[in-house]
Amino acid sequence: ADSVEREVGLNREAGKIAASTVTVKGEKRATTGDIVSKARSVGIEQAVEPEDVVKAVGKFKDLTGQTNRALELMPDLAKLATAFGGDIGELAENAGNIALSLPEGCSNADVMRLLRVQTRQGAVGAVELKDMAKYGARLTAGAGLFEGDRSTNIATMGAFAQVARQRGGAASAAEATLAAQRFGTDIQKKSGELEKMGIATKGKDGTLRDPRKILADMLDKTGGDVTK
């Protein structure tokens, strides 16, 4: 009876995702059967519950509107969840946020590359992966202010948030991610003052320089005294 109930529930949830999926012209629409089949195969390969896989598909789809892409990412998300002992649903949320933050046309490999960085940061740092899922948009917003590779800048903002939480006095993940975001906006506001101190802030096309270079120059010019 339990197995029948689980099967019904699995198909019900997959059906909701399939029914709410909007496809672009020429794109194959993912069916309930496609979603259930993927959930089962990933579940067997990575020892995760098929129900959890279906929920993860739903979370990614709700953020991005891309069910087919969610299905493509599930094997890699499940592997990452198994390797780090993480939750595949949280990983799917982070992957969705990353996919939205990177330039249009970014590959699944691009998404997974940055997700692995964030997962490692969450595993060893004070801002956990679940916090990244909740507040990750702050990091991507901050990253967009700087020149250079977007994914590298997002990873840098994640590192700044970890430092702010561990050593910078931020009392929570919410404060830490906000501090990382404000690093860029504060640089913009105080650009004139920093330039007078010999700290170059301006990058290309109206953006700011690499955040790591700006921070390094700030520490060099102030001797590490953040009150200056």
Side-chain angles (χ1 to χ4, degrees):
D2 288 343
S3 61
V4 172
E5 186 175 341
R6 286 186 64 184
E7 184 68 18
V8 171
L10 184 68
N11 279 270
R12 183 188 302 117
E13 290 304 311
K16 290 178 182 178
I17 295 170
S20 61
T21 295
V22 177
T23 58
V24 297
K25 186 176 181 180
E27 180 184 13
K28 178 183 178 296
R29 187 186 187 91
T31 66
T32 300
D34 293 332
I35 298 168
V36 170
S37 176
K38 177 64 72 172
R40 285 175 178 159
S41 64
V42 170
I44 291 172
E45 292 170 5
Q46 298 300 323
V48 295
E49 295 294 340
E51 292 87 351
D52 292 338
V53 177
V54 170
K55 289 177 182 178
V57 171
K59 287 182 177 182
F60 186 93
K61 188 275 295 180
D62 287 344
L63 283 168
T64 66
Q66 299 174 320
T67 302
N68 286 327
R69 190 172 199 180
L71 295 177
E72 292 170 1
L73 286 166
M74 282 306 119
D76 286 334
L77 293 179
K79 288 177 185 177
L80 196 58
T82 300
F84 283 88
D87 180 274
I88 190 173
E90 291 176 359
L91 287 170
E93 284 188 80
N94 276 281
N97 285 324
I98 290 170
L100 290 174
S101 67
L102 294 179
E104 186 176 353
C106 66
S107 68
N108 289 344
D110 294 330
V111 172
M112 289 305 304
R113 189 178 301 112
L114 181 51
L115 181 60
R116 291 187 183 96
V117 171
Q118 288 191 345
T119 303
R120 286 194 293 271
Q121 289 177 341
V124 302
V127 181
E128 300 179 7
L129 188 63
K130 63 181 180 181
D131 300 319
M132 293 286 192
K134 190 172 183 180
Y135 303 113
R138 294 177 177 177
L139 304 181
T140 58
L145 299 176
F146 298 92
E147 68 179 3
D149 179 67
R150 188 71 177 270
S151 61
T152 299
N153 289 339
I154 294 173
T156 299
M157 292 297 103
F160 284 2
Q162 296 291 352
V163 172
R165 182 71 179 91
Q166 290 177 308
R167 304 176 184 177
S172 65
E175 287 186 17
T177 51
L178 186 59
Q181 180 184 4
R182 284 180 174 170
F183 177 78
T185 56
D186 286 348
I187 294 297
Q188 284 183 321
K189 292 176 182 177
K190 300 178 180 179
S191 177
E193 296 175 36
L194 292 171
E195 294 282 348
K196 290 178 182 178
M197 295 172 63
I199 302 171
T201 62
K202 297 177 182 178
K204 301 174 182 177
D205 303 321
T207 58
L208 297 172
R209 289 175 64 216
D210 183 320
R212 295 166 298 182
K213 293 180 180 179
I214 293 177
L215 181 59
D217 287 349
M218 289 172 67
L219 293 173
D220 180 58
K221 294 295 184 181
T222 64
D225 183 356
V226 296
T227 63
K228 291 185 178 181

